[in-house]
Amino acid sequence: MNILPWHKGNWEELFTVTEKLPHALVLYGPCNSGIDIFTLEASKSLVCRNHNETEVYCNTCQDCNWFDSNSHPDIFFVGATRIDEGTSSNNISIDLIRELKVFFELTPHQQHGKKVAVIFDAHRMNLSSSNALLKILEEPPGESIIILTTSDLSKLLPTIKSRSRLISFSNPNLEEAKEYLGVANKQELLPFINLYAGNPLALLNDHLNYPLLAEIIHCLQQGKKFDSSNINPNWFVNGFPWLINLIQKWAYEILLSKLTHQQFYFPAEQSKIADLASMANISNLLRFQKKLNDLKLYASSPINKEINLDIIFIDYRKIFI
Ligand SMILES: [Zn+2]
């Protein structure tokens, strides 16, 4: 089995409780917290004809083989990046839910077997697809299980949630994250973990951005001597909100160092941040943070990013006296 170590409790919660599994499960938690990995493993276990008492699949039966080749007749994925590559950001249409209904109307391939459907990122359902799903949940077919995953539980209809068992997923604690990076042989990335909300998966997945992060941090370290000519179009590659968010964290770190001599987001830059904090004028720093907050409100709209960034860095230089 291939679930993340900090999801073992979720696995037990799902499979070892004595009550029968409900027809619908909602697995929710932060983005990139590995819920999809968990969901695929759980789905495979649910259809494996030889699964053991803790619902771990056998990996040798025909069900497991079918599952691995993405051709199990009793499994239906809606909106999976696994089979719908490129459509994962789209809404889940009512047509997809209608297809799901048809899937449940067919008898299971395996006698007494379960039919399992997964709706990935279920918060992408609109009102009509949500209502169509609700109809299925109101009269669930015999041995059926629908698993919904989401990073935004508030966007699911209350009537869907009330008919489901909700299972909460979280990011690992620092010790677990450290161990995970150790197993991946990437301990050196641990100082960046808070930049990724404590999520080692997000940290590892973002490897293509490390050189960019290093470049921007290097420029921010210059403080008063920050040279705007070093800004290059690459800085906008993840979107303007991403860049503003990074600068906000940097400014927060300077403030934190100034007030408490502690570090949170950039512990690897401890001495440089402390130097900048010692030169920072606190009123100018707070004013700079306010400007970043204001800019963030419209950072996603079509504004002239270069000009706005130039202005931001004029204010950034003014922080240091
Ligand atoms: Zn099996």
Side-chain angles (χ1 to χ4, degrees):
M1 203 176 48
N2 185 30
I3 60 167
L4 296 163
W6 54 94
H7 288 167
K8 283 188 180 140
N10 294 107
W11 190 270
E12 284 165 18
E13 184 184 347
L14 183 58
F15 288 120
T16 56
V17 285
T18 44
E19 63 185 279
K20 197 172 173 289
L21 275 176
H23 285 287
L25 301 162
V26 174
L27 314 185
Y28 68 98
C31 281
N32 287 314
S33 58
I35 293 179
D36 283 4
I37 299 172
F38 182 98
T39 304
L40 291 172
E41 293 292 280
S43 313
K44 187 170 170 181
S45 292
L46 287 169
V47 292
C48 167
R49 67 191 66 186
N50 296 330
H51 61 79
N52 64 25
E53 66 283 359
T54 52
E55 297 282 346
V56 178
Y57 53 78
C58 74
N59 228 8
T60 54
C61 72
Q62 191 176 34
D63 293 307
C64 287
N65 289 336
W66 274 338
F67 185 92
D68 290 342
S69 61
N70 204 16
S71 58
H72 198 297
D74 294 333
I75 287 269
F76 189 88
F77 291 121
V78 179
T81 46
R82 191 178 184 210
I83 55 168
D84 287 335
E85 205 102 32
T87 62
S88 61
S89 61
N90 296 345
N91 287 339
I92 292 169
S93 68
I94 188 166
D95 290 340
L96 279 173
I97 304 299
R98 284 182 184 136
E99 282 178 35
L100 177 64
K101 188 167 184 296
V102 172
F103 162 76
F104 278 131
E105 282 163 2
L106 303 169
T107 46
H109 178 82
Q110 199 192 128
Q111 215 184 357
H112 310 301
K114 291 186 178 67
K115 288 181 83 82
V116 179
V118 180
I119 304 180
F120 288 95
D121 295 330
H123 50 268
R124 292 178 296 136
M125 287 188 294
N126 55 27
L127 190 59
S128 43
S129 41
S130 294
N131 280 326
L133 177 67
L134 191 58
K135 286 234 161 55
I136 299 176
L137 295 180
E138 280 166 353
E139 290 174 42
E143 287 296 319
S144 67
I145 293 184
I146 302 177
I147 305 176
L148 294 90
T149 72
T150 183
S151 57
D152 192 348
L153 190 61
S154 67
K155 287 202 178 131
L156 296 190
L157 284 187
T159 38
I160 288 181
K161 287 186 272 192
S162 68
R163 282 180 167 78
S164 310
R165 187 195 295 171
L166 307 185
I167 301 182
S168 161
F169 286 68
S170 57
N171 280 330
N173 62 34
L174 188 60
E175 263 320 297
E176 290 166 329
K178 193 172 169 182
E179 201 176 321
Y180 186 77
L181 290 175
V183 171
N185 213 10
K186 294 282 179 192
Q187 298 95 322
E188 74 276 10
L189 297 178
L190 191 66
F192 299 101
I193 195 81
N194 286 335
L195 266 184
Y196 293 85
N199 183 341
L201 290 187
L203 172 59
L204 291 175
N205 286 343
D206 203 38
H207 63 97
L208 293 177
N209 273 324
Y210 299 160
L212 178 62
L213 269 174
E215 179 186 327
I216 298 172
I217 289 171
H218 177 74
C219 289
L220 289 167
Q221 283 176 346
Q222 310 306 312
K224 198 179 175 63
K225 293 184 185 139
F226 180 95
D227 181 354
S228 292
S229 67
N230 286 326
I231 300 173
N232 76 56
N234 229 3
W235 288 26
F236 301 103
V237 76
N238 297 314
F240 199 33
W242 178 89
L243 182 56
I244 296 300
N245 196 25
L246 178 65
I247 301 169
Q248 275 186 312
K249 285 174 176 159
W250 182 263
Y252 170 83
E253 195 81 338
I254 296 172
L255 185 66
L256 185 70
S257 175
K258 181 106 187 152
L259 299 178
T260 69
H261 302 290
Q262 288 178 344
Q263 260 76 36
F264 184 70
Y265 290 118
F266 302 94
E269 310 298 327
Q270 193 166 356
S271 64
K272 200 69 214 174
I273 292 271
D275 282 352
L276 291 173
S278 69
M279 290 181 275
N281 172 292
I282 201 145
S283 318
N284 292 357
L285 179 53
L286 293 172
R287 200 171 303 127
F288 178 69
Q289 286 188 312
K290 179 168 185 323
K291 286 199 175 168
L292 285 174
N293 285 338
D294 293 346
L295 184 57
K296 201 173 183 184
L297 292 177
Y298 56 93
S300 314
S301 47
I303 52 171
N304 189 317
K305 302 183 288 280
E306 287 79 6
I307 290 179
N308 276 284
L309 197 62
D310 254 348
I311 296 169
I312 277 295
F313 281 122
I314 291 170
D315 288 322
Y316 179 66
R317 285 188 290 262
K318 284 184 192 162
I319 295 174
F320 309 102
I321 48 173

